[in-house]
């Protein structure tokens, strides 16, 4: 079912009126100090639209919104609420427009100009339809995590290698949809330790050689391309993150050249059993 169906059907919106948990799954929701309501500016910021877009939704659907916790406080009701919940209230204000969580969700079901609202409608419909109850929450959390990852990757444009960023983005989006990412085989990451292991080196030998191997590969890359290799973010064993060179399968010839020039003779005897094993497996 298309997410726009929710914008057109009050009866369909009513079926999902209680799914306010989706609000925080999609994006962190800020509320007033009573932890129950948001005012109009807060709702506009949540949906990343101008306030008049929210006002337009209210004008067209006021009755429905009121049934879900929308209200405008004036006079004594406003003063009582403000004295408790609005410590920095405008002294000239005479009213406040309030949205309970259900009303905030209701706005998202109808607001057509907001990407955040579209995400909410998509989760309400697609996740409900494709997932049994016991995994709906996990599906929503994964989608929210994916959104954060994609935004972080977008923010890193210009700082990290674009090919690596594109591949990571494809992987994150594919994971959300339960699909295999469509990545060019030549864009698959290539790691120095894995290459050295494939050449028959043991763990201690890899630890000893990988740093200089990477420096030699980087020097050959720069000599060939006239620029340094790009970088990617990598997790370290102690849990921190550091930038490393963004090698891909496109760079395998450089790795092979480094191996032949500086390491093949050194590890020739060690490589012989590995090569014999490979030849035996092909026989």
């Amino acid at each position: 079912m298309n997410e726009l169906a929710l914008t057109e059907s009050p009866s369909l919106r009513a079926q999902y009126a209680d799914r306010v948990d989706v609000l925080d799954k999609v994006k962190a929701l800020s509320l007033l100090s009573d932890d129950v309501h948001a005012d109009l500016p807060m709702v506009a910021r949540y949906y990343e639209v101008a306030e008049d877009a929210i006002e337009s939704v209210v004008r067209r659907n006021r009755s429905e919104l009121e049934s879900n916790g929308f209200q405008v406080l004036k006079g004594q009701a406003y003063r009582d609420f403000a004295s408790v919940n609005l410590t920095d209230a405008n002294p000239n204000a005479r009213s406040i427009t309030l949205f309970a969580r259900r009303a905030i969700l209701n706005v998202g079901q109808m607001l057509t100009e907001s990407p955040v609202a579209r995400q909410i409608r998509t989760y309400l419909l697609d996740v409900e339809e494709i997932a049994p109850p016991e995994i709906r929450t996990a599906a929503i959390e994964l989608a929210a995590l994916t959104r954060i990852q994609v935004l972080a990757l977008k923010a890193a444009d210009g700082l990290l290698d674009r090919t690596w960023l594109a591949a990571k983005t494809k992987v994150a989006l594919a994971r959300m949809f339960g699909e295999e990412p469509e990545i060019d085989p030549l864009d698959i990451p290539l790691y120095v330790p894995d290459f050295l292991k494939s050449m028959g080196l043991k763990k201690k030998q890899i630890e000893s050689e990988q740093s200089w191997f990477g420096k030699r590969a980087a020097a050959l890359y720069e000599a060939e391309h006239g620029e340094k290799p790009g970088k990617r973010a990598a997790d370290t064993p102690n849990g921190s993150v550091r930038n490393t060179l963004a090698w891909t399968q496109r760079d395998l010839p450089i790795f092979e050249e480094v191996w032949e020039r500086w390491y093949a003779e050194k590890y020739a005897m060690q490589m012989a059993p590995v090569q014999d094993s490979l030849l035996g497996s092909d026989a």
Side-chain angles (χ1 to χ4, degrees):
M1 183 185 301
N2 190 289
E3 48 92 13
L4 289 176
L6 277 171
T7 67
E8 301 166 356
S9 174
S11 60
L12 184 60
R13 292 194 290 268
Q15 295 179 31
Y16 302 100
D18 292 325
R19 290 300 310 278
V20 295
D21 58 296
V22 173
L23 294 169
D24 280 308
K25 302 298 183 183
V26 173
K27 181 181 177 182
L29 175 65
S30 297
L31 297 172
L32 295 169
S33 61
D34 66 351
D35 200 35
V36 174
H37 299 95
D39 62 11
L40 192 146
M42 296 170 77
V43 175
R45 286 196 297 272
Y46 177 81
Y47 284 112
E48 300 173 6
V49 296
E51 292 180 24
D52 58 4
I54 307 298
E55 292 170 348
S56 178
V57 170
V58 172
R59 284 195 299 270
R60 297 194 307 268
N61 306 276
R62 188 177 184 111
S63 178
E64 181 180 339
L65 285 163
E66 286 178 340
S67 70
N68 285 301
F70 168 84
Q71 58 183 316
V72 177
L73 299 183
K74 299 180 180 180
Q76 188 59 47
Y78 166 72
R79 290 190 291 274
D80 291 343
F81 182 87
S83 66
V84 176
N85 300 291
L86 304 176
T87 55
D88 56 349
N90 182 346
N92 297 319
R94 295 293 179 265
S95 66
I96 187 170
T97 301
L98 297 177
F99 298 78
R101 283 184 174 86
R102 282 172 58 111
I104 299 170
L105 177 64
N106 201 188
V107 168
Q109 292 174 310
M110 297 181 284
L111 187 61
T112 57
E113 309 96 299
S114 165
V116 177
R118 283 197 295 273
Q119 275 194 287
I120 284 177
R121 292 193 296 271
T122 297
Y123 294 158
L124 286 174
L125 293 176
D126 292 352
V127 174
E128 287 284 344
E129 289 180 359
I130 67 174
E134 62 272 18
I135 66 170
R136 287 175 189 162
T137 298
I140 293 171
E141 289 176 347
L142 176 58
L145 176 61
T146 300
R147 180 175 185 271
I148 294 171
Q149 290 174 331
V150 170
L151 288 174
L153 291 168
K154 184 177 180 180
D157 187 23
L159 301 176
L160 300 176
D161 182 74
R162 286 190 172 182
T163 300
W164 180 81
L165 288 171
K168 288 287 287 186
T169 301
K170 288 180 179 179
V171 170
L173 293 173
R175 187 190 302 121
M176 183 178 73
F177 291 109
E179 301 172 351
E180 288 296 321
E182 296 180 3
I183 299 177
D184 187 327
L186 293 177
D187 289 332
I188 294 175
L190 176 64
Y191 299 96
V192 171
D194 291 343
F195 176 81
L196 294 177
K197 183 177 180 180
S198 74
M199 302 308 290
L201 271 61
K202 307 302 181 184
K203 182 177 179 180
K204 288 186 177 180
Q205 293 171 328
I206 293 172
E207 292 173 350
S208 173
E209 302 286 11
Q210 63 181 359
S211 178
W212 269 105
F213 187 100
K215 292 176 181 178
R216 286 165 172 158
L220 285 182
Y221 182 98
E222 188 171 3
E224 180 176 332
H225 296 280
E227 61 182 5
K228 297 181 183 297
K231 293 187 176 183
R232 61 179 166 226
D235 297 327
T236 63
N238 65 8
S240 62
V241 177
R242 64 185 179 91
N243 290 340
T244 62
L245 297 180
W247 301 114
T248 70
Q249 293 298 323
R250 296 178 189 277
D251 303 309
L252 183 58
I254 289 178
F255 276 35
E256 292 173 339
E257 182 177 349
V258 171
W259 177 263
E260 289 299 323
R261 290 173 63 172
W262 284 285
Y263 300 92
E265 184 176 351
K266 178 178 180 180
Y267 290 101
M269 296 301 295
Q270 186 170 317
M271 280 293 296
V274 175
Q275 292 171 342
D276 291 344
S277 175
L278 292 174
L279 290 172
S281 65
D282 291 337

